[in-house]
Amino acid sequence: EFTPQRRLLRLRSGELQLNLAKDSRPLLVTNAFGQISSRGGRLQVRLSEQRCLAQALEGSLELATQTGEQRFLAARQQVSFDRYGFAAASPLQGGASAWVDGLLEVRNQRLEDVLDALRPYRSGVLRVDPTVAELRVTGLYHLDDSDQVLDTLARTLPIRIARRSDLWVTVEPA
């Protein structure tokens, strides 16, 4: 909804990246957990079932949860939140917007978080055994072949990929 007073987008699922022209009207991105507001710059928003991740790639953001808690997010910062509150803000990771180019760039991230980022690019169930979920991963992966990403992870980490079917995959200890 674009009116003379505001520009409003409703994100229902997925992820978006916006490069905003300066405008007197704020751009509001609403979702199930709250609202993100910007007057210009570049931002990225990722929505999962449990939380929302807001990233201020360029320019600052103003955030509000469904319960009314508010937060200011400076440029080059990111924060996740649910409808009740915010996690601690942190600096952006180098590859935060690599997905736009079909890549997943991770630097010293938990295996469980890497698999969370991979899930939207594959069908079926992708599970991780809790005993390997905290392993650290660094790399650059192509999102167009998630099975290749899993095989690469199995070659570089002490894990094995158990394929019950094309739609049921479990990452477990080697």
Side-chain angles (χ1 to χ4, degrees), residues 15-112:
E15 186 169 9
L16 64 80
Q17 184 181 99
L18 300 170
N19 191 2
L20 303 174
K22 294 267 186 198
D23 194 308
S24 60
R25 301 171 298 166
L27 175 85
L28 307 173
V29 179
T30 64
N31 61 66
F33 303 109
Q35 175 178 287
I36 298 130
S37 175
S38 176
R39 293 197 180 270
R42 239 176 67 200
L43 66 117
Q44 189 164 287
V45 181
R46 179 180 300 147
L47 197 57
S48 72
E49 291 180 19
Q50 297 84 23
R51 64 181 184 266
C52 177
L53 175 66
Q55 298 172 313
L57 303 174
E58 296 171 9
S60 60
L61 301 175
E62 295 176 24
L63 307 147
T65 66
Q66 288 288 356
T67 58
E69 185 177 342
Q70 297 184 349
R71 172 79 49 99
F72 176 83
L73 191 63
R76 307 294 305 154
Q77 295 281 307
Q78 63 184 4
V79 69
S80 65
F81 62 97
D82 59 20
R83 62 181 40 94
Y84 304 108
F86 294 95
S90 63
L92 279 179
Q93 299 294 320
S97 62
W99 66 272
V100 174
D101 298 318
L103 299 170
L104 174 61
E105 183 177 347
V106 295
R107 295 182 184 159
N108 196 30
Q109 291 183 345
R110 298 169 50 238
L111 177 61
E112 185 171 29

Side-chain angles (χ1 to χ4, degrees), residues 90-136:
S90 63
L92 279 179
Q93 299 294 320
S97 62
W99 66 272
V100 174
D101 298 318
L103 299 170
L104 174 61
E105 183 177 347
V106 295
R107 295 182 184 159
N108 196 30
Q109 291 183 345
R110 298 169 50 238
L111 177 61
E112 185 171 29
D113 294 336
V114 173
L115 296 177
D116 281 346
L118 196 58
R119 279 189 183 94
Y121 299 95
R122 59 179 295 115
S123 297
V125 175
L126 177 59
R127 297 198 181 217
V128 59
D129 187 295
T131 61
V132 296
E134 297 298 320
L135 290 173
R136 305 310 281 188

